[in-house]
Amino acid sequence: MRLVSKRLVYNDERFHQLLLTFNPFRVGVLPSFEPTFFEQTGFLMTFLNISMSKDNFYERAQAFMDVNRYEEAGQLLAQAIATEPDEPLYRFQLARVLLQMENYPKAYECCMSAIHLDPEFAGAYFLSSLTLHHLLNFDGELRMAEEAARLDPENETFLVRLGEAQLQSGLIKKAGETADQVMYLDPGSVEAHKLIGDISLKLDNDKKAEKHYREALRHEPDDIALLNDLARAQVGQKKWREAIDTLHHVLCLDPSEKILQDNLYLIIHEWLNQQAVKKRRKTALEELPAPVRLFYLDSKKRRSFFTSTSRLTIIAFWLLVLTLLSLLFSSLVE
């Protein structure tokens, strides 16, 4: 049995975190400026003033984003673009805002505008890769991730994005090589552990997946998508009770998430079916913690006959229905 991933496409939950935490003020990400040009033309002070203005615009927009006021951030950045239409950073930042607002086509347009203004802007390629993922353009997602990593080959964020895009495209071996590269650059990288866990899960190496998910969880213990993936790895190893405990903990963190509810119900139901073979179903159910037992019984009542009944029972039911229909048809013919 394989549980449903918490992620809508490949890594939706983690993409959201990347957008919130990604810092473009790092080597190889921002558009580069050549100081000697300004020194030669006598505009060094002008350059410094513009830089301060850029920082101010960026920080004000970021302040709005930090409190989820994306419309205000977008309006501010639109003004900045009107003032300095050749500045790629504003278009990059506006793409981040639009991505948070789930306006993926417009976000992609902003990314491409930034790239047009500065073809070496690695951060814009990175962001366009995220955007194309949401647009389900996985070939384009991979191309953009490759370009970001080419422009800044030691940037952990870009390499992780490349590994995720490779995994999405089925390039599992390459994704593994990329993850190894991230681990080499930063042996304690949380994102590298997540990526290696994802690759291992894809290869049905559930034991290795669990190891790396646990390592990542040491740093991010309340990551819901990551905990759900840990439960998936535990199920792959038939660690039913551990998986039940893991998902119960996750559901306490986010009680309204239907995917988590479905996964927990499926695990308990499958485990109880296995216990029934040993004639321990009732005893096993009573051994579960009271909140988990009540959750299962309540969920079972809410589900239809077909989702709450074992496969063998459903097969027997349909055989009975077909037999009755056959007898009815025979009597009508006679």
Side-chain angles (χ1 to χ4, degrees):
M1 181 184 72
R2 282 293 179 187
L3 299 180
V4 177
S5 172
K6 173 71 170 62
R7 306 171 221 154
L8 298 181
V9 187
Y10 168 67
N11 220 355
D12 199 62
E13 290 288 327
R14 296 180 197 167
F15 283 176
H16 181 70
Q17 285 302 114
L18 272 177
L19 285 173
L20 291 179
T21 59
F22 177 63
N23 176 17
F25 286 95
R26 58 200 299 181
V27 176
V29 180
L30 277 178
S32 58
F33 297 94
E34 182 56 60
T36 56
F37 167 79
F38 295 98
E39 291 171 345
Q40 290 171 354
T41 55
F43 288 107
L44 181 57
M45 290 307 297
T46 303
F47 165 69
L48 292 174
N49 289 334
I50 290 174
S51 291
M52 290 174 63
S53 173
K54 286 170 185 168
D55 288 350
N56 187 40
F57 266 121
Y58 180 89
E59 289 171 3
R60 288 170 62 194
Q62 185 63 53
F64 280 126
M65 292 180 70
D66 289 342
V67 292
N68 300 329
R69 292 172 60 181
Y70 300 119
E71 289 189 9
E72 289 95 330
Q75 291 169 3
L76 180 64
L77 290 165
Q79 293 173 9
I81 290 171
T83 304
E84 296 183 64
D86 294 332
E87 174 49 60
L89 178 59
Y90 296 147
R91 297 175 190 271
F92 167 83
Q93 183 72 335
L94 181 57
R96 291 183 67 203
V97 170
L98 292 167
L99 199 50
Q100 289 285 16
M101 297 174 71
E102 299 183 1
N103 189 341
Y104 305 126
K106 287 292 184 183
Y108 178 67
E109 285 182 20
C110 285
C111 287
M112 297 312 295
S113 295
I115 290 170
H116 176 74
L117 291 169
D118 184 353
E120 302 295 307
F121 192 171
Y125 289 100
F126 162 81
L127 204 60
S128 64
S129 177
L130 290 178
T131 305
L132 288 170
H133 176 88
H134 284 286
L135 291 171
L136 306 184
N137 183 345
F138 301 127
D139 290 339
E141 172 193 11
L142 178 59
R143 285 197 305 273
M144 291 297 178
E146 288 173 339
E147 188 62 18
R150 184 190 69 80
L151 289 167
D152 194 352
E154 294 190 357
N155 186 305
E156 178 194 332
T157 302
F158 296 166
L159 288 172
V160 170
R161 176 83 282 276
L162 174 59
E164 291 171 340
Q166 289 168 332
L167 187 57
Q168 177 68 66
S169 296
L171 303 174
I172 299 176
K173 183 178 179 181
K174 285 189 175 181
E177 292 171 354
T178 302
D180 290 341
Q181 188 177 353
V182 177
M183 197 65 79
Y184 173 78
L185 292 170
D186 182 5
S189 169
V190 175
E191 293 302 322
H193 282 296
K194 291 178 183 178
L195 182 57
I196 294 172
D198 293 340
I199 294 168
S200 302
L201 202 63
K202 194 83 170 178
L203 294 171
D204 293 332
N205 189 342
D206 299 294
K207 185 176 181 179
K208 185 176 180 180
E210 180 181 4
K211 173 188 172 184
H212 285 280
Y213 287 146
R214 285 193 181 280
E215 186 61 31
L217 283 164
R218 285 201 312 111
H219 304 276
E220 299 178 6
D222 293 334
D223 186 318
I224 291 173
L226 191 52
L227 284 164
N228 184 68
D229 287 338
L230 173 62
R232 295 169 67 204
Q234 289 168 332
V235 167
Q237 300 172 79
K238 302 191 184 304
K239 295 181 177 180
W240 301 102
R241 283 302 305 272
E242 290 184 38
I244 289 170
D245 291 342
T246 299
L247 270 181
H248 178 234
H249 170 64
V250 182
L251 205 53
C252 289
L253 295 174
D254 189 358
S256 62
E257 177 54 64
K258 190 175 186 307
I259 289 176
L260 299 177
Q261 294 173 7
D262 289 344
N263 282 352
L264 180 55
Y265 175 83
L266 286 171
I267 291 178
I268 298 172
H269 192 68
E270 185 69 22
W271 180 65
L272 290 176
N273 284 342
Q274 293 187 13
Q275 296 301 306
V277 176
K278 305 174 186 177
K279 299 182 179 180
R280 289 192 71 256
R281 182 185 179 91
K282 184 177 179 181
T283 304
L285 182 60
E286 291 174 352
E287 289 174 353
L288 290 173
V292 178
R293 184 170 64 252
L294 292 173
F295 163 83
Y296 174 74
L297 294 173
D298 181 66
S299 298
K300 190 174 182 181
K301 287 179 183 177
R302 296 170 183 270
R303 291 168 185 263
S304 70
F305 168 79
F306 295 105
T307 56
S308 63
T309 309
S310 68
R311 293 188 186 92
L312 290 176
T313 305
I314 293 173
I315 292 170
F317 170 79
W318 280 114
L319 286 174
L320 178 61
V321 170
L322 291 172
T323 302
L324 292 173
L325 287 174
S326 178
L327 291 172
L328 178 62
F329 181 75
S330 298
S331 63
L332 290 174
V333 171
E334 293 175 359

